[in-house]
Amino acid sequence: EAQVTQNPRYLITVTGKKLTVTCSQNMNHEYMSWYRQDPGLGLRQIYYSMNVEVTDKGDVPEGYKVSRKEKRNFPLILESPSPNQTSLYFCASSGQGATYEQYFGPGTRLTVT
Amino acid sequence: KNQVEQSPQSLIILEGKNCTLQCNYTVSPFSNLRWYKQDTGRGPVSLTIMTFSENTKSNGRYTATLDADTKQSSLHITASQLSDSASYICVVSAGGNQAGTALIFGKGTTLSVSS
């Protein structure tokens, strides 16, 4: 089954404790992206990657890191999480080309206390 | 500034009724416009994707229209069902043919279908 998977689905952590949210896709997609979704603000892009070893900042990259060492994986790293990073996070992937459908993962609900 | 505005913010309709959601955008250069359906707590799912040259596209009971001149789009839902209760997000892609760059998201319309 074609899908985007994220782990963990739920995470409660404390300020300053480094964490990684994994994202993996099995559709051989070149493009992958991370978003956060907050009430009243909608989805906002954090980082995206056009291909292996190619990443770029989205609208809200501060406090986040990403890497793209393999085509299928695109982990999101929070080196020192803060309470304002409490949010619902989505990973997405698509093929190249502007009209390729974008597939979203199931989401990771992160709470930073 | 590139923006996507959706209206109404929320909508309640009776099962079986039709409804229309609106999306106005100021995005340049325009590449394509997408409508997504997002169930509570789940990832968005693509409904339609329209390029500049397309003015209507259907996906079952969902029909999207695009007027590139007025920079408006609408999503019409026919014979609504309880399962249509969700948030509907309009997304406009700016720029060229690269996937995903400069995606401008609207804040969504929350639709509630009641029996």
Side-chain angles (χ1 to χ4, degrees):
Chain A
E1 180 190 356
Q3 60 181 351
V4 178
T5 56
Q6 296 178 227
N7 282 292
R9 295 288 316 280
Y10 303 90
L11 179 60
I12 301 174
T13 190
V14 296
T15 299
K17 186 176 182 181
K18 181 180 179 180
L19 66 92
T20 298
V21 184
T22 64
C23 173
S24 183
Q25 51 94 3
N26 62 2
M27 295 168 279
N28 201 36
H29 284 162
E30 291 87 359
Y31 175 84
M32 297 185 75
S33 180
W34 275 102
Y35 300 90
R36 62 177 289 173
Q37 187 174 36
D38 302 289
L41 296 178
L43 281 154
R44 293 179 293 169
Q45 192 176 47
I46 303 171
Y47 269 95
Y48 64 93
S49 169
M50 303 297 288
N51 215 323
V52 175
E53 302 293 359
V54 180
T55 63
D56 210 344
K57 296 177 181 178
D59 297 320
V60 289
E62 293 77 23
Y64 304 94
K65 286 176 57 177
V66 293
S67 69
R68 188 90 182 273
K69 294 184 171 61
E70 304 168 282
K71 197 172 188 178
R72 64 182 292 126
N73 296 323
F74 191 44
L76 179 69
I77 304 157
L78 284 72
E79 294 270 3
S80 183
S82 62
N84 64 14
Q85 293 178 297
T86 293
S87 187
L88 180 58
Y89 291 86
F90 290 101
C91 180
S93 75
S94 73
Q96 289 287 8
T99 56
Y100 274 64
E101 183 171 336
Q102 187 163 191
Y103 294 86
F104 284 81
T108 294
R109 186 166 294 281
L110 172 65
T111 302
V112 184
T113 61
Chain B
K1 180 183 177 183
N2 288 333
Q3 282 187 314
V4 175
E5 301 283 346
Q6 292 187 243
S7 62
Q9 187 173 357
S10 62
L11 181 63
I12 301 173
I13 62 172
L14 288 174
E15 186 178 14
K17 298 295 186 183
N18 303 334
C19 69
T20 300
L21 314 180
Q22 300 290 343
C23 174
N24 296 335
Y25 62 92
T26 54
V27 177
S28 182
F30 174 88
S31 176
N32 60 75
L33 185 145
R34 306 157 183 252
W35 282 95
Y36 287 90
K37 177 187 179 188
Q38 184 178 23
D39 293 318
T40 302
R42 306 188 73 169
V45 174
S46 179
L47 294 175
T48 63
I49 302 173
M50 289 183 291
T51 61
F52 182 89
S53 60
E54 297 173 296
N55 55 24
T56 187
K57 186 165 276 191
S58 292
N59 179 354
R61 294 180 296 101
Y62 300 100
T63 299
T65 64
L66 173 65
D67 185 334
D69 291 332
T70 61
K71 298 186 177 181
Q72 296 179 325
S73 176
S74 64
L75 181 69
H76 186 74
I77 304 174
T78 304
S80 61
Q81 301 175 358
L82 297 177
S83 59
D84 292 330
S85 295
S87 178
Y88 292 84
I89 304 170
C90 176
V91 184
V92 179
S93 177
N97 290 326
Q98 295 292 336
T101 56
L103 289 179
I104 317 299
F105 286 79
K107 294 180 181 179
T109 292
T110 300
L111 173 66
S112 298
V113 181
S114 60
S115 56

